[in-house]
């Protein structure tokens, strides 16, 4: 592996670069919080060869969203479900917009 490969991985939002301890530290939370959102299936950390949980930057952003809701008093299971539903809604809206563009096709220009 070259230095360029290593740098490329660190720039990859999906590369599991963070240990549980470091992820918890970055988020200002506990490893138990990360385990709980994993059990609620909000995020699924990858495992190192030794079986340790590893988190990506994308997963940390999702966990931070959950933490915001929990900090506002939302139960953790509800916070996870809210985020999952928000993500599903966003994806459905994206698909609908894409479908509308495909069905509508290019619009003829009108000159006045």
């Amino acid at each position: 592996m070259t230095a360029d490969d290593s740098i490329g991985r660190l720039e990859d939002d999906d590369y599991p670069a963070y240990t549980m301890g470091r992820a918890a530290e970055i988020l200002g939370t506990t490893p138990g919080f990360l385990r709980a959102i994993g059990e609620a299936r909000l995020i699924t950390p990858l495992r190192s060869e030794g079986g340790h949980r590893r988190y990506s930057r994308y997963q940390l952003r999702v966990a931070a969203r959950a933490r915001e809701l929990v900090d506002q008093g939302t139960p953790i299971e509800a916070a996870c479900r809210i985020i999952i539903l928000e993500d599903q809604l966003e994806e459905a809206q994206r698909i609908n917009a894409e479908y509308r563009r495909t069905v509508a096709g290019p619009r003829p220009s009108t000159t006045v």
Side-chain angles (χ1 to χ4, degrees):
M1 177 185 315
T2 67
D4 287 339
D5 292 340
S6 297
I7 291 170
R9 283 185 174 174
L10 292 176
E11 293 174 358
D12 181 357
D13 266 358
D14 295 319
Y15 181 70
Y18 302 96
T19 63
M20 177 180 274
R22 182 68 179 128
E25 181 182 321
I26 289 169
L27 294 170
T29 190
T30 65
F33 175 81
L34 292 171
R35 280 191 292 275
I37 63 175
E39 289 169 9
R41 299 179 190 233
L42 179 61
I43 59 175
T44 303
L46 293 172
R47 298 282 182 152
S48 69
E49 288 182 19
H52 300 282
R53 291 174 178 90
R54 305 285 295 195
Y55 297 89
S56 68
R57 288 190 305 190
Y58 171 76
Q59 290 172 322
L60 294 185
R61 284 195 302 273
V62 172
R65 286 170 59 195
R67 176 156 187 242
E68 288 174 12
L69 290 171
V70 170
D71 287 350
Q72 294 170 7
T74 306
I76 197 163
E77 297 82 12
C80 292
R81 187 69 181 138
I82 288 167
I83 293 167
I84 290 167
L85 290 170
E86 286 175 344
D87 288 349
Q88 289 173 344
L89 175 60
E90 184 180 319
E91 177 68 6
Q93 289 172 332
R94 185 194 63 75
I95 290 169
N96 284 339
E98 186 177 304
Y99 176 74
R100 284 189 203 108
R101 282 191 300 276
T102 302
V103 170
R107 299 197 178 209
S109 62
T110 56
T111 36
V112 177

